[in-house]
């Protein structure tokens, strides 16, 4: 549980000076020395080298005469200062106002005035702004961390990708010296390579350094795995067919080294070691705080990752908040009433109270389930990854047992079926207490968008990823045709129909940087300022002001996160420039100067 409010704690008395004898004094001094030495040691042991701030009360201000703290309250107010005490915001306003309020609320300091000290004031630099800590409503922390070990993003050819794998092997002695060790990487995207074809095991085998090693490489959209021959063979035998998945085969029926959607589960690889997980976690979290993220909704925990997060949360204070969705395997046992949701364990930083169900695949790989065939491949409508009955059976059970239900749905048919299942499950229920989520909600018919909005006022959430829109804009119209594409990423229609939207990145599928999502959402332009509709952007919409409060709502934390208001936790970010007013082509040049969680800096300096 969270420590409650603590709003009247501003009066913590300062310790009185010791007035003992000399020997007492020396004893005290050496004792104090010991305490200080131990604290310093503990500080470095527990906090690591990041140097978290240790003052419990301070005022955070923009320079005199400016109001550069965006509170994201209902009125969208800006203020000059917020006063933070023990991780909680207790006053907001001008510097004079917050100091006056501090003094007024410090009844004890009035009685014993000599102990009254104004809290230190920290000013952000001119031009900078403060916004509530950013939240990524849909990302995959350890998978993202994995791609940071052997990143394959941005390669322009198969050969360049293969060369990166080779260089990684050569530069990691433990892997290079042990041919049986799995080489894991991710982020490749064949749709931008000249051939546009799926890569094959043979491509990997053509390199003498790679040949004979088990290699498993995840695609950028996480819906395909590219395997070396050794990794393939260690996973044989394969079934002829996989429900909701595909084993890509050559003319002779032999697997080529590409497994799509559910077929990815066929890969047998050694269990990840604690050390691998820690490496992935640390690199992902380091990036997150550098980007100003104070909270990530992890969109697919399995027992290994959940155990790992729990263990980390017990062992130390997590640098940021993690909100987990546990993956439900529809072929496995129902666990909603045998597992207890985790709520704010580990100093309030870890929650895992959602279930994630996959309805279909992805648009890029042609796995999204559509009502009508793909425009560029009329032989297929894509695929549902599960039997529709599963949705109608398990959604009400999970809701009954206290879980938030978050369903991955990309194609219009998948989204329509999930809305059907939500509708059937929510009949007469308190939707505000349940807050089901559509994860992605990429392509929806107008009728389904309206139905979604009517399911419970603003209680149902569409968790969307604006960067997908600008990544997909180049091929989406080919795949969907000129009419259907208008319902793709139609965030404005979703909002207008009454649904609430929460922004995420889907990292590692896209860049984790929340500013990339912000830029994509408000411009619908590529990083170079282009779109299929020219420099005015591709079906623009403008959500910016609710960017932090809606993800908080989507994770049941809006009463203490998501805005910088009195009584809320002091999670905030300092940006080098005002992203609300900067010319859009300058937004991506914004720097994160500092990131704070519970009032303590986890990154940067003020
Ligand atoms: C705490 O505040 C004092 C001023 O009251 C300041 O001198 C000191 O540097 C601050 N410590 C940290 C860790 O910020
Ligand atoms: C890619 O690598 C293969 C094998 O090393 C080579 O035969 C081929 O010419 C290369 N292709 C390009 C475009 O460089
Ligand atoms: C859990 O729920 C299922 C489905 O309603 C039910 O069959 C099962 O008996 C329940 N198990 C427990 C331990 O309550
Ligand atoms: C519905 O749930 C919300 C949130 O838990 C609660 O505040 C509200 O009182 C509930 N409404 C009804 C009618 O029970």
């Amino acid at each position: 549980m969270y420590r409650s409010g603590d709003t009247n704690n501003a009066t913590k008395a300062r310790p009185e000076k010791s007035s003992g004898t000399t020997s007492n004094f020396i004893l005290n001094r050496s004792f104090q020395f010991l305490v200080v030495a131990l604290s310093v040691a503990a500080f470095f042991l527990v906090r690591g080298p990041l140097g978290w701030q240790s003052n419990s009360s301070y005022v955070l201000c923009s320079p005199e005469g400016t109001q550069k703290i965006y509170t994201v309250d209902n009125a969208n107010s800006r203020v000059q200062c917020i006063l933070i005490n023990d991780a909680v915001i207790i006053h907001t306003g001008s510097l004079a106002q917050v100091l006056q309020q501090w003094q007024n609320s410090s009844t004890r300091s009035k009685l014993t005035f000599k102990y009254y000290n104004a809290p230190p004031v920290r000013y952000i630099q001119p031009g900078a702004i403060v916004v509530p800590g950013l939240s990524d409503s849909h990302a995959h922390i350890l998978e993202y961390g994995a791609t940071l070990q052997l990143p394959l993003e941005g390669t322009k050819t198969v050969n360049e990708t293969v060369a990166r794998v080779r260089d990684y092997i050569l530069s990691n002695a433990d892997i290079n010296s042990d041919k049986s060790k799995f080489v894991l990487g991710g982020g490749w995207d064949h749709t931008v390579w000249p051939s546009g074809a799926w890569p094959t095991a043979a491509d990997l085998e053509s390199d003498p350094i790679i040949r004979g090693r088990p290699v498993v490489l995840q695609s950028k959209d996480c819906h395909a795995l590219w395997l070396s021959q050794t990794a393939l063979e260690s996973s044989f035998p394969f079934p002829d067919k996989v429900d909701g998945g595909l084993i890509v085969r050559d003319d002779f029926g032999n697997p080529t080294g590409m497994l799509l959607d559910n077929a990815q589960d066929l890969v047998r690889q050694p269990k990840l070691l604690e050390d691998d997980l820690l490496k992935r976690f640390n690199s992902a979290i380091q990036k997150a705080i550098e980007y100003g993220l104070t909270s990530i909704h992890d969109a697919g925990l399995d027992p290994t990752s959940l155990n790992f997060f729990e263990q980390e949360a017990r062992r130390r204070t997590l640098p940021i908040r993690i909100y987990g969705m546990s993956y439900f395997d529809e072929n496995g046992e129902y666990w909603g009433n045998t597992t207890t949701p985790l709520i704010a364990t580990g100093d309030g930083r870890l929650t895992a109270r959602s279930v994630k169900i996959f309805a279909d695949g992805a648009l890029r790989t042609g796995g999204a389930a559509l009502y009508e065939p793909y425009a560029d491949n009329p032989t297929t409508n894509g695929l549902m990854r599960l039997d529709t009955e599963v949705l109608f059976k398990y959604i009400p059970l999970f809701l009954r047992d206290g879980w938030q239900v978050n369903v991955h749905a990309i194609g219009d048919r998948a989204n329509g079926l999930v809305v059907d299942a939500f509708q059937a499950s929510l009949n007469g229920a308190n939707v505000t207490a349940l807050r089901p989520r559509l994860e992605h909600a990429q392509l929806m018919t107008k009728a389904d968008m309206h139905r979604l909005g009517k399911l419970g006022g603003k209680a149902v959430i569409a968790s969307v990823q604006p960067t997908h829109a600008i990544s997909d804009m180049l091929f989406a119209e080919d795949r969907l045709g000129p009419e259907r594409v208008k319902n793709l990423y139609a965030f404005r229609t979703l909002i207008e129909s009454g649904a609430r939207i929460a922004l995420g990145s889907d990292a590692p599928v896209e860049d984790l940087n929340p500013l990339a999502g912000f830029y994509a959402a408000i411009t619908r332009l590529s990083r170079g300022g282009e779109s299929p509709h020219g420099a005015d952007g591709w079906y623009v919409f403008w959500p910016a002001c609710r960017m932090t409060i809606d993800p908080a709502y989507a994770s049941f934390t809006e009463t203490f996160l998501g805005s910088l208001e009195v009584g809320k936790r002091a999670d905030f970010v300092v940006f080098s420039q005002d992203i609300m007013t900067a010319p859009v082509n300058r937004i991506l040049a914004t720097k994160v100067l500092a990131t704070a969680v519970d009032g303590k800096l986890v990154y940067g300096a003020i």
Side-chain angles (χ1 to χ4, degrees), residues 157 159 206-207:
T157 60
N159 281 14
S206 71
D207 186 288

Side-chain angles (χ1 to χ4, degrees), residues 476-514:
E477 187 158 339
D478 287 347
R479 203 142 288 185
L480 298 172
E483 275 314 303
R484 210 167 22 172
V485 76
K486 291 180 187 157
N487 290 335
L488 183 71
Y489 306 112
F491 302 152
R492 187 201 300 272
T493 315
L494 270 170
I495 294 174
E496 285 168 358
S497 70
R500 193 185 292 254
I501 65 170
L503 302 189
S505 69
D506 207 6
V509 181
E510 303 284 354
D511 190 347
L512 183 72
N513 185 355

Side-chain angles (χ1 to χ4, degrees), residues 290-576:
E290 287 172 13
Y291 285 144
L293 290 165
T294 56
S295 151
I296 295 183
H297 301 191
D298 192 305
L301 299 183
D302 59 19
T304 308
S305 49
L306 180 57
N307 279 340
F308 174 79
F309 287 140
E310 255 193 280
Q311 177 194 308
E312 283 301 294
R314 290 222 179 84
R315 188 185 285 171
R316 57 170 174 160
T317 302
L318 296 176
I320 64 169
R321 303 176 197 281
I322 297 176
Y323 183 80
M325 316 173 196
S326 296
Y327 177 53
F328 176 58
D329 173 3
E330 69 275 11
N331 301 313
E333 295 224 338
Y334 174 68
W335 46 255
N337 54 359
T338 50
T339 313
T340 315
L342 280 183
I343 311 241
T345 59
D347 293 347
R349 302 278 171 95
L350 176 66
T351 291
R353 58 169 297 177
S354 305
V355 58
K356 167 85 175 288
I357 302 175
F358 274 94
D360 66 344
L363 194 61
R364 187 183 291 269
T365 36
L370 306 181
Y371 283 121
E372 302 294 330
Y374 280 83
D376 58 355
N377 183 0
T379 63
T380 176
N381 290 34
L383 28 102
M384 288 293 285
R385 282 176 70 163
L386 42 67
D387 190 340
T388 311
E389 282 313 304
V390 169
L391 297 173
F392 288 87
K393 178 172 173 197
Y394 289 108
I395 290 175
L397 290 184
F398 276 110
L399 291 173
R400 173 198 75 183
D401 293 328
W403 295 85
Q404 184 186 39
V405 176
N406 303 12
V407 189
H408 164 115
I410 293 200
D412 52 6
R413 175 156 181 267
N415 276 292
L417 289 168
V418 176
V419 175
D420 288 346
F422 279 173
Q423 202 163 11
S425 316
L426 293 172
N427 192 12
N430 182 345
V431 186
T432 308
L434 301 173
R435 306 184 191 184
R437 297 170 47 159
L438 274 179
E439 298 299 322
H440 306 302
Q442 281 181 13
L443 178 68
M444 294 184 76
T445 63
K446 290 253 159 34
D448 285 340
M449 286 190 250
H450 291 304
R451 277 203 301 150
L452 186 72
K454 298 262 167 333
L455 280 180
K458 288 204 174 290
V460 178
I461 296 130
S463 157
V464 301
Q465 299 79 38
T467 34
H468 283 327
I470 55 173
S471 297
D472 290 4
M473 66 188 175
L474 301 174
F475 67 80
E477 187 158 339
D478 287 347
R479 203 142 288 185
L480 298 172
E483 275 314 303
R484 210 167 22 172
V485 76
K486 291 180 187 157
N487 290 335
L488 183 71
Y489 306 112
F491 302 152
R492 187 201 300 272
T493 315
L494 270 170
I495 294 174
E496 285 168 358
S497 70
R500 193 185 292 254
I501 65 170
L503 302 189
S505 69
D506 207 6
V509 181
E510 303 284 354
D511 190 347
L512 183 72
N513 185 355
L515 279 180
F518 177 79
Y519 170 81
I522 63 173
T523 66
R524 295 289 185 107
L525 292 170
S526 71
R527 282 170 176 250
E530 289 138 16
S531 88
H533 295 177
D536 288 339
W538 193 66
Y539 305 116
V540 173
F541 97 121
W542 190 270
C545 60
R546 297 196 61 85
M547 193 165 87
T548 57
I549 190 69
D550 282 349
Y553 181 88
S555 55
F556 300 89
T557 51
E558 77 282 6
T559 54
F560 53 91
L561 297 175
S563 63
L564 300 175
E565 294 178 85
V566 171
K568 290 201 173 184
R569 315 296 296 184
D571 288 9
F572 63 83
V573 188
V574 184
F575 280 130
S576 60

